[in-house]
Amino acid sequence: MAEIGAAVEAGHAGDTATARARFDALWARVGERGDPLHRCTLAHHAADVQDDAHAELRWDERALAAADELTDDRARAHHASLQVAGFYPSLHLNLADVHRRLGADGPAREHLALARARTGALPDDGYGRMIRAAIERCGERLDRGDRSAAS
């Protein structure tokens, strides 16, 4: 998780090329059958630093697939507050948004509906409010036919 965090920091600092390279190297080590928490976290953050929406979609799909294998016990072993159900609104939001930008309105609407349906698992805090607001913004953009990247 520390190595994933270092790659995330590189991305946040604007060095997306380094972040992508680190995520790719980590994925090569972890692989499709590695720890679901590591795969979910890595893929979720790797999607954020992609230059290509199709590559972003592949990473977002990996994150969702890993979450489907993740248990609450494994998540809580990393941090006592974590519940897998709380991951899904953000994971589906990301998929809705990338499908929206790619012009795939059907899948975008499906993932948006799944994100909305799972918001009850979000905490009533800044993070929960941020995800809920982002879901609504994505829906508004989808309804307008806006294909631009989120700002």
Side-chain angles (χ1 to χ4, degrees):
M1 293 299 274
E3 291 176 81
I4 294 169
V8 170
E9 287 181 26
H12 287 169
D15 191 354
T16 56
T18 296
R20 281 192 303 276
R22 287 182 179 176
F23 285 128
D24 287 344
L26 285 166
W27 189 261
R29 285 184 20 222
V30 173
E32 295 286 336
R33 296 285 138 225
D35 180 300
L37 179 64
H38 294 158
R39 286 186 291 128
C40 183
T41 306
L42 190 164
H44 179 66
H45 291 291
D48 294 340
V49 296
Q50 300 306 307
D51 289 334
D52 174 74
H54 291 95
E56 181 180 345
L57 175 61
R58 284 190 298 277
W59 282 109
D60 284 333
E61 289 171 338
R62 286 175 174 170
L64 181 62
D68 288 342
E69 297 176 28
L70 186 56
T71 65
D72 282 337
D73 287 341
R74 173 60 187 105
R76 282 193 290 263
H78 176 69
H79 194 281
S81 69
L82 293 178
Q83 292 183 333
V84 178
F87 292 18
Y88 284 101
S90 177
L91 295 173
H92 284 294
L93 166 62
N94 289 349
L95 281 159
D97 190 61
V98 73
H99 279 297
R100 174 191 63 79
R101 287 183 280 120
L102 289 169
D105 289 2
R109 290 189 190 287
E110 290 172 23
H111 283 289
L112 199 57
L114 289 166
R116 284 181 174 135
R118 294 182 173 215
T119 57
L122 291 171
D124 187 22
D125 62 7
Y127 173 77
R129 287 186 294 277
M130 176 187 73
I131 297 300
R132 286 180 185 95
I135 289 169
E136 292 315 307
R137 280 192 311 275
C138 182
E140 291 165 3
R141 289 176 137 192
L142 183 59
D143 289 343
R144 289 193 313 263
D146 181 348
R147 305 291 180 220
S148 66
S151 52

